[in-house]
Structure formats: structure tokens, C-alpha cells
């Protein structure tokens, strides 16, 4: 009896070395009894993503920094949500050989927020104006919430705010902003600069919930300050698990074991902490 060749899924980005997507996806496939494997590849150009998917018969791919927008012109079809956000983090290589682009980051943010609060009619102050901020603004609007944008650079922040029809404030004005929930989509506070926070802790009293899209470290300085200020913290693991779970749904058409995936990520983060 010959064993079937496993299906191959892949992550493309630069860098990809520290991504927890491979352990999370591989553990989920095994738990689901699916004969497949997921690997990560560092690439230099968006065209390389397309070439590799086609040459190596990759059935589905995750796309990360810095190719989420750059890859769009090379795909055959783009789903409406991904087009509105202007970023693709998921590619399906379908049965006809076409490459279809999707965005699951916005669903990740929405599902993660909804574990703690109802989005409708609440106000959300989004720090940043990059890909994750665009996904957050899109998802919040779709669910009836009210986003506002705060960004370091005025031009990029104003562009995003105008596109999504919401207000913009320079990041330096955070002290004067009130909202139900604050969402950090800047990279400030990631593992390389663990003790940094994008805003002064005094500004946190104006928010009830504080979400950080960063998931490594799990408790960023922003979330530690938020706890200290009496806010409810929401870490980035929920977003990470849900965006990955939605990729599995697109590629395999099956609901993955989300709670199990969360445990795998938390274990990996715990192991890295001890490195
Ligand atoms: P991006 O497109 O590069 O955007 C980054 C944004 O952060 C920009 O608006 C930039 O402001 C701002 N920024 C960068 N450094 C800053 C600093 N020192 N002070 C203030 N603002 C600063 O990045 P992205 O793709 O949106 O990703 C952002 C973060 O979200 C990353 O940490 C990423 O790991 C995380 N993320 C998490 C998940 C998850 O599943 N949990 C998924 C996607 C992304 P300017 O416009 O002024 O340059």
C-alpha cells in the first residue's frame, strides 16, 4: 500500500524565522487528521511567492510582512474584503490552477474582540495606519463599531481615515482621546523592544478595553500598563489563532480546533520565554 503524498501549505515573508504559524498549523492538521504540512520560506520579491506556489504545487499560502500588498497584482482573483483592505494574507491555489487572494486578519481582529466585548456602537481608537490598522478599521466598521485613527505620520494616517470615512488624530494627541477600546497595531513593544509602549500609561484611563495585535511577548508593556490602569487587556494570540483558523477554513473547508491551536501557541510562547 502506498501512502498518499501530503498536501503542502506555506508561509512567505521576510523575515519569517520567528513565526509561530508553522507549529500552529502543523499541530492543527495533525489534530484534524489531515495529511498535510506547513513550512515557512523567506523570499525577496512578491513574484517569488507566486513562482514558488506554482512550481512546488503549494495548495495554500500565508503571506506576511512585507508582501501583503505587493503580492496583489500577481494574483488571478482578489476577494472583495481583501481588495477593500488593500492587503492579502492568504492565497488559495484552486483546482483550476488560479491563485485567489483573501484577507483573514480582519476576521481575526473581530473574533478576538468579540471574545471580550460587543463591537456594535462602540468606539475604537486604532494606533497605526499599516496593514493591521486597515484590517481593524474594516472589521470594526463591518460590525457596526466606530473607529478613529491615530498615527505617527500624518499623511498615512489621514489617507486611511479618509478612505474609511473616520476621524484622524496625530499620535501625539492620544492624551485627549476617549474611546471604549484602544487597539495597538504598531510594532512598538515586540520582543526586540519588550519594555517599550506606543503611548504613555497616563493616557490609558480613557479606555475600558485595550487590545494589542502583538502576540510575542504575550503581555506587552502596553497590556501591563493597561492592567495597572484598570482596563481589560486583550492580547494578540486571539487574533493570531483566528486569522490562522480562517485560513484553514479557506484551504480545507473544515472548521479547525481553535482552542487547541491557542494552547499550542501559548506553549510555544512559554517555551520561547525560557530561551
Ligand atoms: P505596518 O504595515 O508596517 O504598519 C505599522 C504602523 O505602525 C505604521 O502606521 C507605523 O507608523 C506605525 N509605527 C511603526 N513604528 C512606530 C513607532 N516607533 N512609533 C509609532 N508608530 C509606529 O505593520 P502591520 O502589518 O500593520 O503590523 C503591525 C503589527 O501588527 C506588527 O507588530 C505585527 O506583528 C502585528 N500583527 C499581528 C497579527 C496577529 O495575528 N496577531 C497579524 C498581523 C499583524 P507610520 O505610518 O508613521 O510609519
Amino acid at each position: 500500500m502506498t501512502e498518499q503524498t501530503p498536501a503542502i501549505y506555506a508561509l512567505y515573508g521576510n523575515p519569517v524565522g520567528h513565526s509561530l504559524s508553522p507549529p500552529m498549523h502543523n499541530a492543527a492538521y495533525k489534530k484534524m487528521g489531515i495529511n498535510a504540512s506547513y513550512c515557512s520560506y523567506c523570499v525577496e520579491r512578491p513574484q517569488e511567492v507566486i513562482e514558488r506556489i506554482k512550481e512546488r504545487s503549494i495548495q495554500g499560502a500565508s503571506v506576511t510582512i512585507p508582501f501583503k500588498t505587493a503580492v496583489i497584482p500577481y494574483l488571478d482573483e482578489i476577494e472583495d474584503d481583501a481588495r477593500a483592505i488593500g492587503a492579502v494574507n492568504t492565497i488559495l491555489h484552486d483546482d483550476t490552477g488560479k491563485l485567489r487572494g483573501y484577507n483573514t486578519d480582519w476576521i481575526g481582529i473581530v473574533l478576538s474582540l468579540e471574545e471580550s466585548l460587543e463591537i456594535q456602537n462602540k468606539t475604537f481608537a486604532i494606533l497605526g495606519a499599516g496593514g493591521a490598522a486597515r484590517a481593524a478599521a474594516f472589521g470594526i466598521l463591518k460590525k457596526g463599531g466606530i473607529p478613529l485613527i491615530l498615527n505617527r505620520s500624518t499623511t498615512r494616517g489621514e489617507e486611511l481615515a479618509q478612505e474609511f470615512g473616520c476621524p484622524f488624530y496625530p499620535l501625539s494627541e492620544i492624551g485627549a482621546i476617549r474611546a471604549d477600546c484602544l487597539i495597538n497595531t504598531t510594532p512598538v513593544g515586540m520582543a526586540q523592544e519588550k519594555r517599550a509602549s506606543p503611548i504613555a500609561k497616563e493616557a490609558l484611563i480613557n479606555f475600558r478595553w485595550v487590545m494589542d495585535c502583538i502576540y510575542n511577548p504575550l503581555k506587552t508593556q502596553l497590556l501591563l500598563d493597561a492592567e495597572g490602569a484598570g482596563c481589560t487587556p486583550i492580547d494578540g494570540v486571539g487574533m493570531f489563532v483566528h486569522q490562522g483558523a480562517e485560513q484553514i477554513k479557506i484551504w480545507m473547508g473544515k472548521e479547525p480546533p481553535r482552542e487547541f491551536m491557542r494552547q499550542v501557541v501559548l506553549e510555544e510562547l512559554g517555551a520561547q520565554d525560557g530561551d
Side-chain angles (χ1 to χ4, degrees), residues 128-132 151-153 156 185-188 190 213-214 236 239-240:
N151 196 44
R152 178 178 62 178
S153 75
R156 203 170 173 198
T185 75
T186 79
V188 182
M190 285 176 79
C213 290
I214 295 170
M239 174 185 177
F240 182 66

Side-chain angles (χ1 to χ4, degrees), residues 92-193:
L92 170 69
H93 192 182
D94 76 12
D95 297 343
T96 66
K98 282 196 170 154
L99 300 184
R100 297 175 187 273
Y102 299 79
N103 186 301
T104 67
D105 282 336
W106 77 269
I107 314 177
I109 293 175
V110 161
L111 292 179
S112 176
L113 285 171
E114 285 177 344
E115 286 170 1
S116 297
L117 57 101
E118 197 188 325
I119 294 174
Q120 190 163 26
N121 295 328
K122 290 208 175 55
T123 48
F124 295 82
I126 300 172
L127 304 182
R134 296 180 67 86
F138 177 85
I140 287 162
L141 281 168
K142 192 147 173 152
K143 292 288 172 178
I146 305 148
L148 64 89
I149 310 297
L150 291 126
N151 196 44
R152 178 178 62 178
S153 75
T154 306
T155 317
R156 203 170 173 198
E158 276 181 344
E159 265 172 27
L160 165 56
Q162 207 172 17
E163 207 175 311
F164 287 91
C166 51
F168 166 77
Y169 302 91
L171 189 52
S172 53
E173 288 181 21
I174 183 72
I177 302 294
R178 271 178 183 279
D180 291 304
C181 179
L182 176 82
I183 304 178
N184 176 40
T185 75
T186 79
V188 182
M190 285 176 79
Q192 313 84 285
E193 40 164 7

